Amino acid sequence: MSLRWTVDRRRLAKAKVRAAAAEGLFDAAGVLLETANRTVPHETGALQRSGVASVDRAALRAAVSYNTPYAVRQHEDTRARHDPGRRAKWLEATLAEQGQRLRDHVAGRIREAAR
């Protein structure tokens, strides 16, 4: 009598791809935060220091947020004056400028894991 084992590697492959996607998203969110901080309005530095990048690994979603009482107002008020090199819509604009590069990074991590 002989035994024959069949190993289904699809589950392992799927887990590797999801993990790579989560890591890629984490990396991309960190780069987005770092890059956005270069143009965040900067009076005392509190707004910049409140920035955080996070990833929900289960949902495969990344977020960058700022947690001060005035963060939304600073971001949305395009009439506010800022120091040279600083701007309203800093996070939105940075994502528009860097989005393709960040998506490419995540895709690259997934491709590597799928090999």
Side-chain angles (χ1 to χ4, degrees):
M1 182 169 133
S2 66
L3 292 174
R4 181 178 166 163
W5 292 90
T6 303
V7 178
D8 185 356
R9 294 195 166 109
R10 288 177 291 188
R11 187 180 299 165
L12 177 59
K14 185 177 178 181
K16 281 179 63 176
V17 166
R18 282 189 69 81
E23 288 301 315
L25 285 169
F26 180 76
D27 295 344
V31 168
L32 177 59
L33 175 63
E34 179 183 321
T35 308
N37 278 343
R38 295 178 192 155
T39 61
V40 69
H42 195 277
E43 186 75 23
T44 65
L47 180 58
Q48 181 175 336
R49 285 190 302 274
S50 78
V52 64
S54 59
V55 173
D56 179 339
R57 290 178 174 273
L60 289 179
R61 290 189 182 158
V64 173
S65 59
Y66 291 83
N67 186 21
T68 65
Y70 50 86
V72 171
R73 187 183 62 216
Q74 283 289 321
H75 190 268
E76 297 302 318
D77 188 356
T78 57
R79 294 170 298 171
R81 295 169 128 200
H82 300 293
D83 292 339
R86 305 299 176 154
R87 61 186 175 182
K89 302 281 190 179
W90 71 91
L91 184 55
E92 185 177 331
T94 303
L95 181 57
E97 295 159 2
Q98 300 293 320
Q100 188 60 53
R101 184 177 132 219
L102 300 174
R103 285 188 292 275
D104 290 346
H105 174 76
V106 175
R109 292 292 295 260
I110 293 168
R111 274 192 302 277
E112 288 173 14
R115 290 183 189 164

